[in-house]
Amino acid sequence: MPKVTKRNDGKGDAVVNTETGEETATFDDIMRPVFSPLGVAELTGKKAEYRKVNVPANRFTPLKENWMALYEPITKQMKIDVRMNLKTKKVELKTTKDTEDEGALQKSADFVQAFLLGFEIQDAVALLRLDDLYLECFEVKDVKQTLKGEHMSRGIGRLAGKSGKTKFTIENATRTRIVIADQHIRILGSFQNIKIARDALCNLILGSPPGKVYSRLRSITARLSERF
């Protein structure tokens, strides 16, 4: 007479014939309901969610030239629909039934916003892949309101340095990306790295010599590398 054992491996109970290897589902296993995983639409309780991103006038041409580079990661990786509304001058994004990640819509909006703020697509696409990246924007006048005329120009020049040397040094030391557009400064990176880069930029605006800022950055980055 064949031996019969009961299998329970987390996939449901079954009676197994040890000689033939045949499995017979038990009554409880047959009656157990099977549900497919919930999608984003069921989790949020809405049919679709939308985001709109304003396009500045000076970014229309770069947006047109790099549209496919923006379009493919959003539609293929994030499963988000995207279009350019020429009447309202906004990029519109919408979730679809295939959208899997609940935060995909906001990540895609941040990706488009980062490009429109002046960041390269290769840098901005990191917002889609990593969760702990942020954008921070401020102006030179937020740091020192008395800067005007040539003093303002020299302050912006101290931020960039000769041929962008100072900006590149801060970017490499803090692992961030910085865009300086006239009086507007934008930083892309993790929360802690943004704080370090912002402090360095603020010191330059206030008149600290670049050498002093570099030495302070070296000590901070050395301390961070020891910690991690």
Side-chain angles (χ1 to χ4, degrees), residues 4 10 18 20 35 44 52 98 122 125 159 172 186 192 217:
V4 177
T18 55
T20 62
F35 299 105
T44 56
K52 294 181 181 180
D98 299 323
Q122 297 91 329
V125 78
L159 294 178
N172 294 333
R186 292 92 184 235
Q192 190 174 30
L217 274 176

Side-chain angles (χ1 to χ4, degrees), residues 28-111:
D28 292 339
D29 195 35
I30 295 171
M31 297 300 293
R32 183 180 292 120
V34 178
F35 299 105
S36 59
L38 292 176
V40 175
E42 289 85 355
L43 287 171
T44 56
K46 298 178 182 178
K47 290 185 178 179
E49 291 186 6
Y50 299 86
R51 290 286 189 281
K52 294 181 181 180
V53 183
N54 291 321
V55 181
N58 65 316
R59 297 297 291 173
F60 265 104
T61 303
L63 180 64
K64 185 178 179 181
E65 292 174 351
N66 297 278
W67 178 253
M68 288 309 298
L70 285 168
Y71 181 83
E72 289 182 1
I74 294 173
T75 54
K76 292 182 180 178
Q77 296 178 25
M78 297 286 108
K79 309 289 178 64
I80 298 287
D81 282 345
V82 59
R83 71 175 183 178
M84 177 65 198
N85 192 328
L86 294 174
K87 290 184 178 180
T88 59
K89 297 180 180 179
K90 294 180 180 179
V91 175
E92 299 177 351
L93 302 108
K94 186 187 81 168
T95 56
T96 64
K97 61 181 181 180
D98 299 323
T99 306
E100 299 170 357
D101 185 7
E102 194 172 0
L105 184 62
Q106 187 58 49
K107 286 182 180 180
S108 301
D110 291 341
F111 170 52

